[in-house]
Amino acid sequence: MKRVLIIGATSAIATACARLWASEGSEFFLVARNGDKLEQTAADLKGRGARAINLHEMDATDIAAHPSMLHSCLLALGQIDVALIAHGTLPDQKVCEQDVSVALQEFANNGTSVIALLTLLANQFETQRCGSLAVISSVAGDRGRPSNYLYGSAKAAVSTFSEGLQARLFKVGVHVLTIKPGFVDTPMTQGLSLPAALLAQPQQVAERIVAGIARKAPTFYTPGFWALIMLVIRSIPQPIFKRLNL
């Protein structure tokens, strides 16, 4: 039985992961900003075998609320075996280019708030000296592309921060996993013109995440073919890259 903390628990990928853990009889502390969706998620997980479910409403960008959330989590679970940070937004790059306040808010949604949570949870896991801390980053963080460089820069910050945590926490027996999904069929990507051949389903991504945590993988792309795609994109010389519409 796992004791699982999920932040951004109502997202499609997080819900798919939770369903897999629920089938194992896991106990949950679920965090999201929408209470109604949290209740719906909890009801779904109870029907799938979850042992116990605790709910906590919080906007992840409210950094001052993070410590009380963790305190409540520890009161409920006693210890965290798996923590998954899965919240985020997909900003409109053009709007971010024109409005500094929007750009900074989107960076907070996808970067600053995640780093704040990673910092807080890392200290808890360091005290425990066990467990897995997983964070959903993105392939977008591998290179700054003109179509989404605000989002990409936030995810790059998360990936680099997580890599540092891996080296720090490995020494005390804590596993840190950076997850880099490509295009996933979720409400966040609805309305976008995406190649069908590259569009993964949340269940497919979740299965890879749950398996990656179980085997203590450090970093992976999902689906796996994104590792090759991003290798090619990272290899394009800058004089050529800046002329492409990516």
Side-chain angles (χ1 to χ4, degrees):
M1 187 271 292
K2 295 184 179 68
R3 291 161 288 188
V4 182
L5 164 64
I6 305 179
I7 300 168
T10 58
S11 71
I13 294 174
T15 298
C17 289
R19 287 172 174 169
L20 294 172
W21 285 315
S23 68
E24 302 172 355
S26 296
E27 184 175 353
F28 293 93
F29 191 89
L30 304 180
V31 182
R33 60 186 175 183
N34 188 312
D36 291 338
K37 288 185 178 179
L38 268 176
E39 293 286 355
Q40 293 169 11
T41 301
D44 176 72
L45 295 179
K46 286 177 182 176
R48 295 173 184 270
R51 178 176 177 181
I53 303 172
N54 306 275
L55 306 181
H56 187 92
E57 289 185 45
M58 184 189 76
D59 185 331
T61 62
D62 183 3
I63 294 174
H66 292 180
S68 62
M69 177 277 296
L70 179 58
H71 178 71
S72 297
C73 176
L74 292 173
L75 285 178
L77 300 184
Q79 178 176 295
I80 304 168
D81 299 318
V82 176
L84 174 63
I85 301 176
H87 73 279
T89 56
L90 189 61
D92 186 319
Q93 175 62 37
K94 293 298 183 183
V95 174
C96 291
E97 291 170 11
Q98 300 301 319
D99 192 324
V100 172
S101 64
V102 173
L104 293 178
Q105 181 59 52
E106 293 295 350
F107 195 91
N109 291 341
N110 296 291
T112 308
S113 63
V114 179
I115 288 172
L117 285 163
L118 284 170
T119 299
L120 188 67
L121 290 170
N123 291 335
Q124 172 59 32
F125 276 98
E126 190 169 38
T127 299
Q128 293 182 179
R129 303 182 75 84
C130 64
S132 292
L133 174 54
V135 60
I136 296 180
S137 184
S138 172
V139 298
D142 280 17
R143 193 162 192 184
R145 296 180 291 120
S147 63
N148 69 349
Y149 61 83
L150 189 287
Y151 178 74
S153 63
K155 292 301 189 179
V158 168
S159 294
T160 300
F161 192 89
S162 180
E163 185 176 20
L165 280 185
Q166 288 172 3
R168 169 190 161 191
L169 296 182
F170 170 79
K171 300 174 180 64
V172 294
V174 174
H175 167 227
V176 178
L177 169 62
T178 308
I179 304 148
K180 296 185 176 184
F183 304 136
V184 184
D185 186 11
T186 68
M188 194 167 75
T189 59
Q190 283 183 357
L192 299 180
S193 179
L194 300 173
L198 300 182
L199 193 62
Q201 295 302 311
Q203 178 68 21
Q204 177 185 3
V205 174
E207 288 172 356
R208 189 160 168 81
I209 290 173
V210 170
I213 290 173
R215 71 172 188 274
K216 298 189 182 302
T219 305
F220 63 75
Y221 294 83
T222 178
F225 57 72
W226 278 98
L228 178 58
I229 292 174
M230 297 315 298
L231 174 62
V232 172
I233 290 176
R234 290 195 307 271
S235 300
I236 299 172
Q238 186 64 19
I240 297 173
F241 185 79
K242 66 186 180 182
R243 290 174 167 78
L244 301 176
N245 293 319
L246 294 175

